[in-house]
Amino acid sequence: MRILISNDDGYFSPGIAALALALSSVADVTVVAPERDRSGASNSLTLDRPLTLRRAANGFYYVDGTPSDCVHLAVTGIFETLPEMVISGVNHGANMGDDTIYSGTVAAATEGYLLGVPAVAISLVSRDAIDFSAAAQVAVDLVHRFMRQPFLEPVLLNVNVPDLPYDRLGPPCVTRLGRRHKAEPVVRGTTPRGDTVYWVGAAGRAADAGEGTDFHAVANGLISVTPLQIDLTHTAQTGLLTDWLSQ
């Protein structure tokens, strides 16, 4: 089985190293990841300049672009045939609820999905994690499931793993995306030259975190697995908009 691995934390991150090590025991893996941390890059593609692909000493490939660039380049330019799965991660930190809109981790998986490849984004819900082995093993478990029973159509799965030892994790459960409160205000600062600068504020706390959400699952020690889609059409408002435009 051929698996393409990517992320948004960069090719040097411990999360991607743990993921590649774990998956190499069950599949033929190729790593193509950004040359630096591109967290929050979302689904952006670099169209204003050419991209460079290089290979690191550990065999990982890295690209001077976004997570979406990495997967797009790999799938359309490196593999002679499509990989059988794209797995993005292991991200250092949660990608739940509204996070998925901005996440480069989810974006890398999304790019694979858009190119017709089943894709998984996997994140470790922790701010100070040092051990990514449990989340990497969860990815291996999902690959085993896929090998036993492949999906009949491309899927895009967003997986969030509590920061617990593997033997203390609850089972995977199917969830929906929760919602966060409004983001924290920007943080204002001053450079040594006296210029005012701004840091984007922290993500808001969970607002919709009830039973059935990704937030609720992780809070209870369960592995959250959320199927995502790309269609952003707000179908419930089509009638309202039709009436509004007819006035």
Side-chain angles (χ1 to χ4, degrees):
M1 182 176 186
R2 299 182 309 281
I3 296 178
L4 170 64
I5 296 175
S6 193
N7 73 352
D8 71 351
D9 290 329
Y11 74 94
F12 47 80
S13 72
I16 203 170
L19 183 63
L21 178 63
L23 289 176
S24 64
S25 66
V26 296
D28 178 14
V29 303
T30 301
V31 176
V32 183
E35 68 174 354
R36 61 182 177 86
D37 187 345
R38 297 303 302 265
S39 298
S42 190
N43 296 87
S44 58
L45 287 172
T46 301
L47 303 177
D48 60 342
R49 60 175 176 83
L51 297 167
T52 301
L53 176 74
R54 293 187 173 89
R55 194 169 191 178
N58 62 0
F60 294 178
Y61 291 95
Y62 60 95
V63 177
D64 58 340
T66 67
S68 294
D69 287 333
C70 294
V71 175
H72 192 91
L73 202 67
V75 173
T76 65
I78 295 177
F79 289 100
E80 294 183 2
T81 58
L82 287 178
E84 292 162 270
M85 183 174 283
V86 171
I87 301 184
S88 179
V90 174
N91 188 66
H92 187 180
N95 275 308
M96 300 187 291
D98 309 346
D99 302 339
T100 55
I101 300 297
Y102 308 100
S103 168
T105 303
V106 175
T110 300
E111 190 66 21
Y113 171 78
L114 291 172
L115 293 170
V117 183
V120 177
I122 185 162
S123 303
L124 181 62
V125 184
S126 173
R127 292 187 175 181
D128 54 1
I130 57 174
D131 185 358
F132 293 83
S133 60
Q137 184 58 47
V138 169
V140 172
D141 294 344
L142 292 174
V143 169
H144 277 305
R145 287 175 181 265
F146 178 81
M147 292 171 71
R148 289 197 304 268
Q149 188 173 1
F151 289 103
L152 298 180
E153 60 185 54
V155 294
L156 175 58
L157 304 180
N158 185 43
V159 180
N160 281 274
V161 182
D163 189 12
L164 296 170
Y166 180 75
D167 59 3
R168 290 177 53 196
L169 288 172
C173 61
V174 179
T175 58
R176 65 177 176 86
L177 295 180
R179 292 291 303 274
R180 290 191 184 275
H181 285 290
K182 181 180 177 182
E184 298 295 322
V186 296
V187 179
R188 187 194 304 258
T190 305
T191 70
R193 295 178 181 272
D195 296 322
T196 300
V197 294
Y198 301 89
W199 287 95
V200 172
R205 293 173 288 106
D208 176 8
E211 189 172 356
T213 67
D214 45 8
F215 289 103
H216 186 271
V218 168
N220 286 276
L222 304 175
I223 301 165
S224 168
V225 183
T226 308
L228 302 182
Q229 64 179 2
I230 305 304
D231 185 1
L232 298 178
T233 306
H234 195 332
T235 54
Q237 288 189 351
T238 55
L240 173 67
L241 181 59
T242 298
D243 292 342
W244 183 72
L245 290 174
S246 66
Q247 300 300 318

